[in-house]
């Protein structure tokens, strides 16, 4: 602020920062101290022990770093926001907090030595840790939260499947041109809408088809294998996907799962074909009903109608319903010629949820629209490992993807088991900024090692409470 006094201007010293002298000789201070929460949570859920058992064949002489511990440290590094194996230095150079951490070459060797058999064992290990985490959630709180749509809780579990493009800036094995004109991979992923956990993922070449039924079936089966037995059998499981998931073979597989005692239902996008267009034009105005928003209120400018019986679905599973939403297009929306002629944007989906028991077209439409949340999960997942693949070798990148899914799980379990309020629904970026990347002082006294969080850090109490809750979690018996 400039102030004039007798013809002289000067700047008041308001808000000036104090002068500091910077040196690189500090001691007893650690960064990313909140990431210790993730390493301890991996131990508490049995993930570290399960990884050690899964990768024991890679340590035949019992010397050197435990491969399971190396895998856990890589997952923690990715959850903390690391992008490359070299970022393990953040943990390795702070041994006072994180203990001995493998070198970069050792971590590379682990990824290279993990073959398909070991990768399958890693998936099974993550599933066993998930079972422990879910039991801990049930014993210490209300268990796994329900997904919501239209202002209501959805029964059971909701699995969302979708593919995404990951750009590669150098030649990598099986990287290929993508349908959008880029170059890289086209992984297919499955997330649990209830918690944001990453249930499964399949790394694929960039030119892989979006609607490949075999890939959808493989990813879904891997996701179902991740669900503990108590929830996989006897719980409604809704599978949502966009129109890439409308392949008849995939829907038939979902229906066939019921024969194995898995109560699966589908809600998948469907293309606006000529029979659909004819049905929409023939639909009487009185049969269009207002659409809903996610909070249960009416959605302005949007209407829903059921086309079941007006479109031939004879080759689809029995009792399949077809529902359409028409809506005033928002600015920039991509419209088909049909949409342009009608002046409205149309979106169609198929579901086998019966009409009795609350399965109205309005509710099912807003429930299906909730599938869009997977875009947020994928966006966050790309900052938690699978937005950048480190190796020229496809097999190494497939292991990297699996560890990225474990990192996403650790963040999800942190929210469910250890956090409240705003942080319990926070995205990884916010968790890192407020909790994981915090600096602290490491002190020793009374035969105890103490991590002392700054008394002025705005979220010090939330982090301290999370550590206390972690210590109180029931541990697996073996």
């Amino acid at each position: 602020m400039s102030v004039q006094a007798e013809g002289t201007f000067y700047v008041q010293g308001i808000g000036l920062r104090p002068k500091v002298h910077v040196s690189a000789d500090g001691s007893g201070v650690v960064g990313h101290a909140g990431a210790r929460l993730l390493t301890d949570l991996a131990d508490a859920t049995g993930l570290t022990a399960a990884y050690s058992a899964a990768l024991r064949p890679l340590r035949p002489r019992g010397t050197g770093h435990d491969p399971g511990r190396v895998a856990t440290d890589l997952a923690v590094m990715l959850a903390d926001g690391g992008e490359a194996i070299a970022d393990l230095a953040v943990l390795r150079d702070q041994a006072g907090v994180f203990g001995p951490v493998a070198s970069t070459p050792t971590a590379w060797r682990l990824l290279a030595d993990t073959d398909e058999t070991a990768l399958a064992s890693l998936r099974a290990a993550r599933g066993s840790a998930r079972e422990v985490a879910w039991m801990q959630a049930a014993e210490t709180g209300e268990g796994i939260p329900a997904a919501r749509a239209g202002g209501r809780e959805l029964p059971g579990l909701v699995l969302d499947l979708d593919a995404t493009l990951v750009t590669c800036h150098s030649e990598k094995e099986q990287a290929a041109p993508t349908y959008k004109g880029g170059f890289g991979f086209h992984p297919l992923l499955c997330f649990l809408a209830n918690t944001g956990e990453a249930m499964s993922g399949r790394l694929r070449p960039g030119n892989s088809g979006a609607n490949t039924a075999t890939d959808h079936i493989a990813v879904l089966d891997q996701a179902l294998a991740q669900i503990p037995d108590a929830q996989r059998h006897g719980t409604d499981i809704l599978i949502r996907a966009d129109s890439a998931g409308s392949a008849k073979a995939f829907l038939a597989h979902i229906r066939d799962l019921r024969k194995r005692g898995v109560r699966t239902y589908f809600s998948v996008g469907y293309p606006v074909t000529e029979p659909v267009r004819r049905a929409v034009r023939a639909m009487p105005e009185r049969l269009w009903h207002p659409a809903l928003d996610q909070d249960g209120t009416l959605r302005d400018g949007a209407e829903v109608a059921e086309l079941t019986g007006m479109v031939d679905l004879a080759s689809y599973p029995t009792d399949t319903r077809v529902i359409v939403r028409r809506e005033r297009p928002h600015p920039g929306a991509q419209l088909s010629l049909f949409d342009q002629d009608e002046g409205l944007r149309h979106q169609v989906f198929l579901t086998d949820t019966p009409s009795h028991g609350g399965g109205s077209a309005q509710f099912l439409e807003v429930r299906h629209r909730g599938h869009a949340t997977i875009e947020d999960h994928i966006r966050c997942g790309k900052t938690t490992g699978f937005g950048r693949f480190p190796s020229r070798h496809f097999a190494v990148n497939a292991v990297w993807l699996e560890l990225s899914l474990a990192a996403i799980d650790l963040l999800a379990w942190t929210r469910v088991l250890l956090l409240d309020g705003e942080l319990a629904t926070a995205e990884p970026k916010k968790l890192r900024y407020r909790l994981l990347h915090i600096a602290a002082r490491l002190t020793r006294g009374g035969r105890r090692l103490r991590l002392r969080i700054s008394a002025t850090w705005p979220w010090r109490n939330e982090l301290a409470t999370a550590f206390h809750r972690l210590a109180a979690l029931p541990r697996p018996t073996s």
Side-chain angles (χ1 to χ4, degrees):
M1 177 179 180
S2 298
V3 179
Q4 185 175 11
E6 297 181 358
T8 302
F9 287 87
Y10 63 92
V11 178
Q12 290 183 340
I14 297 176
L16 297 180
R17 297 181 178 86
K19 290 184 178 181
V20 296
H21 300 276
V22 180
S23 63
D25 55 359
S27 62
V29 178
V30 294
H32 293 239
R36 173 61 189 261
L37 194 69
L38 301 177
T39 63
D40 289 355
L41 182 59
D43 295 344
T45 57
L47 180 65
T48 307
Y51 272 178
S52 296
L55 299 178
R56 186 171 293 119
L58 302 184
R59 194 186 186 191
R61 293 182 297 275
T63 59
H65 287 275
D66 175 5
R69 171 69 183 276
V70 177
T72 299
D73 287 340
L74 283 169
V76 169
M77 178 268 291
L78 292 173
D80 192 45
E83 296 182 337
I85 296 178
D87 291 335
L88 268 178
V90 171
L91 309 183
R92 183 173 56 248
D93 294 343
Q94 300 185 100
V97 177
F98 299 105
V101 176
S103 66
T104 297
T106 298
W108 269 111
R109 284 195 298 272
L110 170 70
L111 295 176
D113 292 344
T114 303
D115 57 15
E116 281 293 331
T117 300
L119 180 57
S121 297
L122 284 179
R123 294 192 185 107
R126 191 161 59 92
S128 66
R130 188 183 320 281
E131 184 173 16
V132 173
W134 287 21
M135 287 191 297
Q136 290 169 333
E139 292 187 25
T140 60
E142 299 179 357
I144 297 302
R148 296 184 62 84
R152 293 162 50 181
E153 292 187 349
L154 301 181
L157 304 174
V158 181
L159 297 176
D160 286 315
L161 283 80
D162 201 3
T164 187
L165 298 177
V166 178
T167 300
C168 294
H169 298 285
S170 62
E171 290 287 343
K172 298 184 189 299
E173 186 180 5
Q174 295 194 40
T178 69
Y179 70 93
K180 287 191 175 181
F183 179 81
F185 297 117
H186 193 193
L188 181 63
L189 303 143
C190 179
F191 286 83
L192 181 68
N194 303 62
T195 60
E197 290 168 84
M199 306 302 284
S200 62
R202 185 179 183 89
L203 188 61
R204 308 184 302 166
N207 56 1
S208 296
N211 59 347
T212 306
T214 53
D215 288 344
H216 278 75
I217 291 172
V219 169
L220 174 60
D221 286 349
Q222 289 178 5
L224 293 173
Q226 287 287 316
I227 300 175
D229 286 342
Q231 285 80 16
R232 185 167 63 250
H233 299 280
T235 301
D236 287 350
I237 302 176
L238 175 67
I239 292 97
R240 298 188 299 200
D242 58 18
S243 58
S246 64
K248 297 173 185 177
F250 179 55
L251 300 185
H253 179 74
I254 294 175
R255 178 62 63 84
D256 288 344
L257 288 169
R258 297 185 194 175
K259 301 176 183 177
R260 308 178 209 170
V262 184
R263 298 208 309 247
T264 47
Y265 299 86
F266 60 79
S267 180
V268 299
Y270 188 72
V272 182
T273 60
E274 181 57 32
V276 169
R277 290 192 284 269
R278 288 198 299 267
V280 168
R281 285 174 172 145
M283 177 63 61
E285 283 296 319
R286 60 185 174 81
L287 295 182
W288 289 94
H289 304 285
L292 302 177
D293 267 326
Q294 291 299 334
D295 61 0
T297 60
L298 296 182
R299 185 177 179 88
D300 185 44
E303 295 175 307
V304 177
E306 183 159 359
L307 304 180
T308 305
M310 303 176 68
V311 178
D312 182 14
L313 299 176
S315 57
Y316 286 87
T318 56
D319 301 321
T320 296
R321 302 166 65 184
V322 55
I323 297 171
V324 60
R325 182 182 89 251
R326 67 181 185 184
E327 187 172 20
R328 289 198 303 268
H330 59 77
Q334 295 183 349
L335 302 178
S336 66
L337 292 177
F338 173 70
D339 291 339
Q340 293 177 20
D341 289 343
E342 296 292 314
L344 297 168
R345 185 186 184 199
H346 295 78
Q347 291 185 302
V348 183
F349 71 98
L350 306 178
T351 183
D352 61 346
T353 300
S355 57
H356 59 80
S360 69
Q362 286 173 292
F363 176 69
L364 296 182
E365 191 280 324
V366 71
R367 186 190 69 172
H368 177 74
R369 207 177 332 128
H371 170 68
T373 57
I374 194 175
E375 297 179 6
D376 293 326
H377 295 319
I378 289 175
R379 172 176 51 80
C380 293
K382 288 184 175 181
T383 69
T384 314
F386 66 74
R388 179 183 183 276
F389 290 99
S391 177
R392 293 181 292 107
H393 302 291
F394 186 84
V396 171
N397 291 328
V399 180
W400 184 267
L401 174 60
E402 174 59 28
L403 294 178
S404 174
L405 302 183
I408 296 168
D409 282 350
L410 285 173
L411 293 172
W413 298 339
T414 297
R415 291 191 295 265
V416 171
L417 296 172
L418 308 178
L419 300 176
D420 285 324
E422 182 184 6
L423 291 177
T425 58
E427 291 189 351
K429 181 178 180 180
K430 181 177 290 185
L431 291 180
R432 291 164 188 150
Y433 185 82
R434 295 187 175 186
L435 299 184
L436 302 183
H437 293 177
I438 189 174
R441 181 172 294 279
L442 196 63
T443 64
R444 290 176 173 84
R447 299 182 180 180
R448 301 180 71 178
L449 186 66
R450 296 178 180 274
L451 197 62
R452 306 180 71 91
I453 304 167
S454 171
T456 62
W457 186 251
W459 300 281
R460 61 193 180 280
N461 293 325
E462 287 84 348
L463 182 56
T465 299
F467 273 108
H468 293 323
R469 289 179 177 173
L470 177 58
L473 287 179
R475 291 326 198 244
T477 56
S478 61

